[in-house]
Amino acid sequence: MRLSIKDPLTALVAVGLAALLLAACGNSNDNNGTATAATASTGSGVVSVKNVDGGDVLADSQGKTLYTADVEKGGQIMCTGACTSIWEPAMATAKQAKSASSQLDVKLATVKRPDGGQQLTFKGTPLYSFT
């Protein structure tokens, strides 16, 4: 399988997905210890872009790297119940997502979770932090 990604932020989210899959298999490492500095942040503080190992990644308001899962492309929420104790949904209002999207020049929005909350999405895929 060949993967071709032209957008650096998309590439780093894809790397985050790989970390998500590895973590689901027992790897407990996250990228928070290697972050050097936030490169941009939103006025609402919902999401920021930080530099990790020479590349930019999305981070939540606490500085935790945000991840996506391919099985949730298109906004379908698969991580519910016990899954959310490991993968914490990145929650935000539609207004916060729109503000962050325009300030960071990335495609952020929200999707309604089964519990009724609004979860932040990147290019239509729900975002999570690793607990």
Side-chain angles (χ1 to χ4, degrees):
M1 177 154 98
R2 188 173 194 184
L3 180 64
S4 176
I5 300 175
K6 296 179 182 176
D7 178 26
L9 190 55
T10 301
L12 287 166
V13 170
V15 169
L17 174 61
L20 172 90
L21 295 174
L22 289 173
C25 295
N27 181 355
S28 64
N29 292 332
D30 65 20
N31 290 331
N32 293 334
T34 59
T36 56
T39 57
S41 63
T42 64
S44 64
V46 173
V47 68
S48 64
V49 176
K50 70 178 184 177
N51 187 280
V52 176
D53 293 333
D56 291 340
V57 298
L58 291 174
D60 68 10
S61 61
Q62 298 171 337
K64 293 181 182 178
T65 302
L66 293 173
Y67 302 91
T68 63
D70 278 347
V71 296
E72 293 189 337
K73 271 195 171 167
Q76 183 179 8
I77 302 290
M78 303 295 287
C79 183
T80 61
C83 176
T84 61
S85 67
I86 298 168
W87 296 103
E88 185 176 337
M91 305 301 283
T93 65
K95 184 177 179 179
Q96 289 170 320
K98 183 177 180 179
S99 173
S101 187
S102 66
Q103 290 179 34
L104 298 174
D105 196 28
V106 295
K107 293 182 181 181
L108 298 172
T110 60
V111 65
K112 187 174 181 177
R113 289 190 52 79
D115 64 9
Q118 293 293 315
Q119 184 169 351
L120 193 61
T121 63
F122 174 70
K123 294 185 176 182
T125 306
L127 291 168
Y128 297 88
S129 63
F130 181 68
T131 58

